[in-house]
Amino acid sequence: MEKLFWGRMPVEHAAAAYFFGKHSRLQHLIHAFKYQERRDIALFLGRQMGLMLKESKWLNDIHIVIPVPLFKTRERKRGYNQAGLLGEGICGVTGFPLVKDALVRSTFTETQTHKGRGDRWENVGKVFSAHALERLHGRHILLVDDVLTTGATMEACARRLLEGEGVKVSVFCLAYTNL
C-alpha cells in the first residue's frame, strides 16, 4: 500500500488492517456500518485496528489520530462519520487523542466507488482544508479512513495536513483494495 504514495507525497507509514474483497464478510461489515447505522461494528473494527497498531513498530511515533472527514450534509444524514468511529476505536485502545476538527471537507463530492484513478483525484483534489495548523506543529498524525483504493482521498487530506510546520503523516485504513 505504501507504494501508492511513492513520488506523490511523503508518508511515514501506510497500512491497512485488511484486504477488501468483493462479496467478502468484510464488505458486508463495511456496508453495515456505512449504510445500516451499525456504529458498533465500526467501533469494534476500530478497536481491532488499534490492537494491530499496538503490535506495529511505528506505534510510538504517532501523536494524534485524525479521521478523513465527511461533508457536513452527508455526516448529518448518516448520523456519524465512519472514519471518526474507526478513529474512536483506535484511540480507545492506544490512548492517542482523536482530533475530529483538524480537517474539513468543504465541498460535497460524489461517491468515489465507481470512479477511476484520475476521476477520483479530480473529485477530491481541492475539497479538503486544514484548520488551526499551528496546533499540529511538529506532530506525527495518523490519518484514518475506512477503505483505500487509489489513495486520492488520503493524498488530498495529507497534503493539507503537511502544510503544517514539521508535520508528518502516516496512513492507516481498515481495508485496502485494488478493485
Side-chain angles (χ1 to χ4, degrees), residues 3 13 16 20 33 37 46 55 64 108 112 118 128 162 170 172:
K3 291 179 183 179
H13 306 283
F20 180 92
F33 72 69
E37 300 181 22
E55 298 297 319
I64 59 175
F108 177 80
Q112 300 275 78
F128 297 101
L162 288 167
S170 288
F172 194 33

Side-chain angles (χ1 to χ4, degrees), residues 1 3-4 16 18-22 26 112-113 115-117 120 147-151 175-179:
M1 198 174 101
K3 291 179 183 179
L4 280 175
Y18 304 100
F19 187 79
F20 180 92
K22 277 194 174 193
L26 182 60
Q112 300 275 78
T113 309
K115 294 184 179 299
R117 179 180 297 274
R120 285 173 185 248
V147 180
L148 186 136
T149 305
T150 64
Y176 169 70
T177 182
N178 54 7
L179 298 174

Side-chain angles (χ1 to χ4, degrees), residues 36-167:
Q36 298 166 7
E37 300 181 22
R38 292 294 310 270
R39 297 172 190 195
D40 58 316
I41 293 173
L43 287 168
F44 172 79
L45 290 171
R47 286 190 295 273
Q48 297 307 302
M49 292 170 71
L51 292 171
M52 290 175 190
L53 193 59
K54 282 183 85 163
E55 298 297 319
S56 77
K57 292 183 272 186
W58 39 289
L59 174 74
N60 295 328
D61 292 342
I62 303 297
H63 296 112
I64 59 175
V65 175
I66 297 179
V68 169
L70 285 177
F71 188 63
K72 58 188 169 196
T73 55
R74 184 170 284 155
E75 184 170 349
R76 206 171 19 251
K77 181 179 179 184
R78 186 173 287 163
Y80 54 90
N81 174 0
Q82 71 276 4
L85 291 175
L86 292 171
E88 284 179 35
I90 290 169
C91 293
V93 170
T94 63
F96 296 139
L98 181 67
V99 179
K100 293 183 180 181
D101 63 346
L103 276 175
V104 174
R105 187 181 294 242
S106 53
T107 307
F108 177 80
T109 56
E110 298 174 28
T111 181
Q112 300 275 78
T113 309
H114 303 291
K115 294 184 179 299
R117 179 180 297 274
D119 292 335
R120 285 173 185 248
W121 176 250
E122 191 172 310
N123 196 37
V124 296
K126 296 180 181 173
V127 302
F128 297 101
S129 57
H131 292 276
L133 281 172
E134 63 279 354
R135 70 182 164 161
L136 304 178
H137 173 77
R139 302 286 186 183
H140 184 174
I141 297 165
L142 183 66
L143 186 59
V144 174
D145 204 3
D146 53 359
V147 180
L148 186 136
T149 305
T150 64
T153 299
M154 287 297 230
E155 181 178 350
C157 289
R159 285 189 183 282
R160 298 293 80 78
L161 295 170
L162 288 167
E163 292 171 358
E165 186 177 331
V167 169

